[in-house]
Amino acid sequence: MKNRLPIRISTGAMIVLGVQVAEAQEKPNIILFLVDDMGWQDTSVPFWTERTVLNDTYRTPHMERLAAKGVKFTQAYACPVSSPSRVSLLTGANVAQHQVSNWTLYKDKGTDKPHKLLTFGEWNYNGLSPVQDYPHAFYAKCLPLLLKENGYRSCIIGKAHLGAIDTPAADPLTIGFDYNIGGHAAGAMGSYLGENNYGNKEAGTWTKPWGVPSLEAYHGSDVFLTEALTREGCKFMEKSVADKQPFFLYMSHYAVHAPFVADKRFYQYYIDKGLSEKEAQYASLVEGMDHSLGALMDCLERAGVAENTIILFMSDNGGYSVGRGGEAAQRNYPLRGGKGACFEGGIREPMIAYWPGITRPGTENATPVIIEDFFPTILEMGGVKEHQTPQRIDGVSFVKALKKGKTLTKERPLYFHYPNNWGEQREDVGLPQSAIRKGDWKLIHYYETGINELYNLKEDISEKNNLIKDKRYAKKGASLAKELSNYLKKNKANLPYFKETGLSVPYPDGTIN
């Protein structure tokens, strides 16, 4: 892979260059800033009704800056782990439809950790595919290609994690991006350090599966990975502005994913504050990510396009807790669980949207939204009114919530499907499960035991008080279990099987496939 921006360009990119300048200038630029494994409270911006200890632990001044310009969505959701969220984001399909239900890496091979009772069947472990009928993959027409067809130049900077190694979507150029810097099959980096060539064995090479490609110019330097990706993002935007070309920048950071290491620009502050070495490393990754956000905003201002650029901030799953030591619940307080769980700590995300001239500064919105909603929203923002896709679009645009500044209906059901075995487990994290949220109510189903749990999130955001056996809420629990089951049946969603019998596990309402 080459690291120079003009070389890492798809053959279809030249189509976009013919767009009339006058038409191009009418379209807003769009930045989708996605963080990896960032928890709902891993920021100095409070997304709850009150500040928490975590809000006072981290410094994220540029998230504060963005929130002051735009709107915080306090009830935004993604999937429990990375690949399912990223496929939903770029296709608009819920995981029950696309069935890339766990993280992906190796071609024709699942990533589930062996389980004593269950086996995890034929899910789409090859990931996303722009090629029809590719085995164990979800065929879809993706967001960057639709934007390209409507006059946008698009670039992915950082983590892709869309298709397994040696499958079509392992290279994001195949799904419509014009440029790719750093994106490939793996969901983590070999190293954050330029001194370590970002996980590549030798300078100027690419070492699969964990080495980060396309950043050879920084090999052997002291440039931290987050900073290297940020510089490339600025180059892309500056070039697009110079060419008078509207752009879509998918700024997809590897931060704050493990393995943790200190971003030396910010690490000492947290050590001086009394954090442990590991927690100081993590906090420095968070602040380094925030610094990147600020650098991109500064770049827009220097280029004179800040008032014509939409910025969307999101995380791909809940905060990582299992491998950080201590009590898992403390890592995402006040939420229960973390990455790998359908509890709020595993799926509720920090989200901010800024649309110059549209969003009201410094506002909050409690509309429940989910990761697949970004697909129709971004298309609407870009003026893409007509399009056809082989996949059904499950996401719902939240543009009205931005324009009107009002909370939209809370009664729309949101579905979460994780019928897999992540590989890391502690208490309620990492268990095969599915969930539905509707209004203030949430039901979680465990596939190993067949047990359901019921929570009222308005009264119990920490999901401590299971109401499933309370006779007053028996109808509510049964109704949600049936609605979740019907949705899974409608999509022919993948389910685990019992090893002993070879039979599929029952649905949340107890019915059999």
Side-chain angles (χ1 to χ4, degrees):
M1 286 195 174
K2 304 294 184 181
N3 69 313
R4 298 269 58 88
L5 189 61
I7 296 177
R8 292 292 295 143
I9 182 170
S10 71
T11 55
M14 297 306 297
I15 298 172
V16 182
L17 301 181
V19 176
Q20 294 291 327
V21 171
E23 178 186 349
Q25 289 177 335
E26 293 175 0
K27 297 178 181 294
N29 304 309
I30 304 170
I31 298 176
L32 175 56
F33 192 100
L34 190 72
V35 191
D36 195 6
D37 286 6
M38 181 183 182
W40 190 57
Q41 292 293 290
D42 290 346
T43 170
S44 54
V45 178
F47 284 85
W48 194 28
T49 54
E50 58 189 71
R51 290 190 67 84
T52 66
V53 172
L54 292 173
N55 295 146
D56 292 329
T57 297
Y58 302 106
R59 294 191 303 186
T60 55
H62 300 292
M63 285 184 68
E64 294 177 21
R65 174 182 169 191
L66 185 63
K69 291 174 174 285
V71 54
K72 294 190 301 182
F73 279 77
T74 57
Q75 301 189 53
Y77 291 92
C79 302
V81 296
S82 177
S83 294
S85 283
R86 292 165 187 272
V87 173
S88 290
L89 179 71
L90 295 182
T91 67
N94 183 270
V95 65
Q97 180 189 173
H98 66 63
Q99 297 183 28
V100 186
S101 55
N102 202 6
W103 60 281
T104 59
L105 184 59
Y106 295 109
K107 183 179 179 180
D108 297 332
K109 184 177 180 181
T111 54
D112 298 287
K113 184 177 180 179
H115 190 279
K116 60 182 179 180
L117 298 178
L118 303 176
T119 185
F120 299 97
E122 301 297 311
W123 57 279
N124 283 332
Y125 37 70
N126 282 333
L128 181 62
S129 177
V131 179
Q132 192 170 4
D133 297 325
Y134 197 88
H136 302 299
F138 180 63
Y139 171 56
K141 187 173 184 179
C142 297
L143 179 64
L145 182 55
L146 289 166
L147 290 171
K148 176 191 293 188
E149 292 175 348
N150 286 270
Y152 276 86
R153 175 185 291 174
S154 63
C155 179
I156 177 173
I157 304 282
K159 176 174 171 175
H161 207 197
L162 299 168
I165 294 172
D166 296 328
T167 66
D171 184 346
L173 295 183
T174 65
I175 65 165
F177 283 104
D178 298 314
Y179 301 97
N180 168 31
I181 304 294
H184 64 126
M189 78 311 295
S191 174
Y192 279 104
L193 302 179
E195 298 95 317
N196 294 339
N197 306 323
Y198 309 119
N200 297 293
K201 288 185 178 179
E202 298 179 7
T205 66
W206 180 27
T207 306
K208 296 181 182 180
W210 304 114
V212 179
S214 311
L215 295 175
E216 292 87 354
Y218 303 94
H219 287 186
S221 73
D222 62 353
V223 180
F224 203 76
L225 176 59
T226 308
E227 175 63 18
L229 296 174
T230 303
R231 293 181 186 180
E232 293 301 310
C234 287
K235 289 178 185 178
F236 167 74
M237 294 193 298
E238 289 165 352
K239 177 174 172 54
S240 298
V241 172
D243 293 342
K244 295 183 171 58
Q245 186 69 48
F247 63 80
F248 170 59
L249 172 59
Y250 179 31
M251 190 72 208
S252 179
H253 275 296
Y254 284 95
V256 293
H257 198 289
F260 304 149
V261 67
D263 187 332
K264 294 179 182 178
R265 298 172 295 173
F266 312 106
Y267 174 72
Q268 192 60 44
Y269 168 82
Y270 295 100
I271 288 293
D272 293 344
K273 196 172 183 177
L275 272 65
S276 68
E277 180 181 7
K278 181 174 286 189
E279 288 304 300
Q281 289 174 345
Y282 183 80
S284 73
L285 293 175
V286 170
E287 187 165 352
M289 171 280 302
D290 180 79
H291 184 77
S292 171
L293 176 64
L296 295 183
M297 294 171 72
D298 291 344
C299 182
L300 293 173
E301 292 177 358
R302 289 194 302 271
V305 294
E307 294 307 308
N308 191 37
T309 303
I310 297 166
I311 304 177
L312 301 170
F313 183 102
M314 185 63 168
S315 175
D316 69 340
N317 50 249
Y320 180 60
S321 60
V322 174
R324 288 172 61 184
E327 293 297 324
Q330 296 176 354
R331 303 304 180 192
N332 293 303
Y333 177 84
L335 306 183
R336 176 180 174 182
K339 177 182 179 180
C342 287
F343 290 103
E344 295 293 286
I347 56 177
R348 193 180 283 216
E349 316 302 335
M351 175 183 163
I352 306 171
Y354 170 52
W355 189 349
I358 300 296
T359 51
R360 297 179 183 178
T363 55
E364 295 185 9
N365 195 302
T367 299
V369 296
I370 194 168
I371 192 75
E372 56 260 30
D373 294 342
F374 281 81
F375 182 95
T377 300
I378 291 172
L379 290 180
E380 186 173 351
M381 288 172 161
V384 182
K385 297 180 180 179
E386 296 183 5
H387 61 274
Q388 292 184 339
T389 61
Q391 75 273 23
R392 182 185 71 247
I393 307 306
D394 297 316
V396 176
S397 173
F398 50 80
V399 163
K400 287 184 180 179
L402 299 177
K403 288 185 173 181
K404 296 182 179 181
K406 296 180 180 179
T407 300
L408 304 182
T409 176
K410 290 186 176 182
E411 293 303 314
R412 169 194 170 204
L414 302 181
Y415 299 99
F416 308 90
H417 188 49
Y418 191 57
N420 295 82
N421 197 22
W422 174 34
E424 297 186 60
Q425 186 173 330
R426 175 189 287 162
E427 298 173 353
D428 48 25
V429 171
L431 302 176
Q433 55 191 231
S434 294
I436 178 174
R437 174 182 171 167
K438 189 173 184 180
D440 294 325
W441 291 93
K442 182 176 174 187
L443 180 132
I444 300 174
H445 176 74
Y446 295 90
Y447 287 107
E448 181 178 348
T449 61
I451 290 174
N452 291 332
E453 295 183 1
L454 179 68
Y455 299 97
N456 185 305
L457 296 178
K458 183 177 181 180
E459 303 296 332
D460 179 24
I461 195 173
S462 300
E463 297 171 291
K464 293 180 179 179
N465 187 20
N466 179 13
L467 301 172
I468 198 69
K469 294 183 179 179
D470 191 319
K471 294 181 179 180
R472 294 173 297 173
Y473 307 112
K475 288 184 178 180
K476 175 60 69 175
S479 174
L480 289 175
K482 184 174 181 58
E483 191 165 0
L484 175 58
S485 298
N486 287 344
Y487 187 77
L488 297 176
K489 293 175 184 178
K490 174 185 174 181
N491 284 279
K492 299 180 180 179
N494 55 305
L495 295 175
Y497 291 79
F498 290 113
K499 284 183 175 180
E500 185 175 344
T501 65
L503 299 176
S504 174
V505 298
Y507 286 100
D509 64 356
T511 56
I512 305 297
N513 194 349

